Amino acid sequence: MNYVYLFAAIICEVIATSALKAAEGFTRLGPSVIVILGYGLAFYCLSLTLRTIPVGIAYALWSGIGIVLIALAGWVFYRQPLDGPAILGMALIVTGVLVINLFSRTTGH
């Protein structure tokens, strides 16, 4: 169940960060509300994962997966292109997340 909370935290953070650009410096009410609620839910869900998953591992997974999803959201919704080095870097991040999950004994399996 802790990984469900972690996944929820990641999704909420991605939604909030995507809305942050649309909020235009908190001058637009709708996206600003999404930012505040999204980050609040993200941190709440992340705090639930810390009951059993070590903080360093949870944060590494949260931030690593979040980076890739935010870059993809920027590409899809805001037409921000990704060049070869950006894609390579994100592939390395995904590889790191997989190594942590598959081989680390500190992940709380």
Side-chain angles (χ1 to χ4, degrees):
M1 190 66 183
N2 290 307
Y3 282 96
V4 172
Y5 291 134
L6 183 57
F7 181 73
I10 293 166
I11 296 303
C12 289
E13 187 266 337
V14 168
I15 291 169
T17 301
S18 297
L20 190 58
K21 178 166 176 51
E24 297 178 10
F26 291 100
T27 60
R28 296 182 59 217
L29 181 61
S32 298
V33 170
I34 292 171
V35 170
I36 293 166
L37 292 175
Y39 281 131
L41 285 170
F43 283 111
Y44 175 72
C45 290
L46 183 61
S47 74
L48 296 177
T49 68
L50 299 180
R51 294 176 179 168
T52 59
I53 300 173
V55 68
I57 299 300
Y59 192 76
L61 295 173
W62 182 46
S63 60
I65 295 168
I67 287 168
V68 172
L69 292 178
I70 285 298
L72 291 174
W75 180 53
V76 170
F77 297 114
Y78 298 112
R79 307 285 186 240
Q80 298 171 339
L82 300 172
D83 60 7
I87 293 169
L88 175 62
M90 284 185 275
L92 291 171
I93 290 169
V94 169
T95 301
V97 168
L98 288 173
V99 167
I100 288 170
N101 274 302
L102 296 174
F103 302 110
S104 176
R105 293 188 180 157
T106 61
T107 59
H109 289 290

